[in-house]
Amino acid sequence: MTNFVYIATSLDGYIAAADGGIDWLNEMPNPSDNDYGFGEFMDKIDAIVMGRNTFETVVSFGVWPYERPVFVLTNSLEDIPDGYKDKAAIVQSEVVDLVHDLNARGYENLYVDGGLTIQSFLQQDLIDELIITRIPILLGSGISLFGQLDTRLRFRHMQTDVYDNSMVKSRYARSRE
Ligand SMILES: NC(=O)c1ccc[n+]([C@@H]2O[C@H](COP(=O)([O-])OP(=O)(O)OC[C@H]3O[C@@H](n4cnc5c(N)ncnc54)[C@H](OP(=O)(O)O)[C@@H]3O)[C@@H](O)[C@H]2O)c1
């Protein structure tokens, strides 16, 4: 059972501009129409857990990109919008309980997405792999990937791939010994 983070950040560690914008991400040239390993990553995933803000961003795309069930953490959203009810469900539990519940339902490998959501998981030491793609831009401000932790969490570097001599994707596994 593995909980993964797979996310892109600016060089200064932001996952979105202060207004939530990810234009800087979408504007990256992709001359070879590469998915940068995302499809291969998704093949390992049983379900996605994301925060309400990330869910709303994905809905705004107009095209639903996931073929796995999505669980949306929220205390404010009362209902999944029409058109997405067969794709996503609202969850309101503590993240530890959520992981136990999803694992018990057969969702063993989880993709955890959204800054605050990832931070909630890290605070409970529930992330096993971090896959972070650094985009060569300094945003100067924005929504941070990481936040405060009560204890240090060590990770082991597993692999780094460079795409288009521009994006640097590094995979880190949690080192608990
Ligand atoms: N660069 C990338 O690859 C990437 C990837 C994903 C997202 N993003 C961007 O990141 C931004 C969203 O990140 P974000 O930091 O704002 O956070 P987020 O995790 O997407 O959403 C935060 C919201 O999720 C709910 N939530 C989170 N943890 C919870 C918990 N433990 N229990 C209950 N509810 C919880 C809360 O919703 P309520 O307020 O409804 O209670 C909270 O306000 C968006 O702009 C998105 O586009 C970028």
Side-chain angles (χ1 to χ4, degrees):
M1 287 181 260
T2 307
N3 299 330
F4 295 89
V5 167
Y6 186 110
I7 202 157
T9 74
S10 64
L11 287 182
D12 44 357
Y14 298 111
I15 59 168
D19 64 358
I22 51 169
D23 51 306
W24 52 281
L25 203 51
N26 298 329
E27 282 164 12
M28 284 301 291
N30 185 358
S32 45
D33 200 22
N34 196 329
D35 81 346
Y36 305 119
F38 186 69
E40 193 184 335
F41 165 73
M42 282 306 293
D43 286 345
K44 296 188 289 196
I45 295 300
D46 300 312
I48 303 161
V49 176
M50 65 174 61
R52 193 248 316 155
N53 293 342
T54 296
F55 174 68
E56 289 178 347
T57 301
V58 176
V59 166
S60 76
F61 296 160
V63 179
W64 187 252
Y66 306 116
E67 292 172 1
R68 299 286 185 279
V70 169
F71 297 92
V72 183
L73 274 164
T74 179
N75 289 313
S76 68
L77 193 67
E78 290 184 353
D79 208 2
I80 293 292
D82 287 342
Y84 299 91
K85 291 189 198 302
D86 60 337
K87 300 173 172 60
I90 287 174
V91 285
Q92 281 185 321
S93 50
E94 295 295 325
V95 290
V96 176
D97 300 332
L98 175 62
V99 170
H100 283 151
D101 178 48
L102 292 178
N103 290 165
R105 291 165 62 186
Y107 300 116
E108 299 197 336
N109 296 321
L110 304 177
Y111 170 15
V112 179
D113 207 12
L116 290 172
T117 300
I118 292 166
Q119 290 168 28
S120 296
F121 274 68
L122 284 169
Q123 279 155 10
Q124 303 295 326
D125 194 6
L126 285 169
I127 295 297
D128 304 295
E129 276 200 27
L130 288 170
I131 302 163
I132 300 175
T133 301
R134 273 173 295 144
I135 307 296
I137 185 172
L138 292 170
L139 293 179
S141 64
I143 297 173
S144 293
L145 171 56
F146 297 118
Q148 287 202 337
L149 290 172
D150 297 332
T151 52
R152 295 175 180 174
L153 302 178
R154 290 192 188 280
F155 287 81
R156 199 167 62 250
H157 174 256
M158 304 300 284
Q159 187 177 343
T160 289
D161 298 304
V162 181
Y163 296 106
D164 301 328
N165 198 27
S166 167
M167 286 165 278
V168 181
K169 184 173 86 176
S170 296
R171 186 160 71 85
Y172 300 91
R174 177 80 173 94
S175 178
R176 292 195 170 86
E177 68 270 3

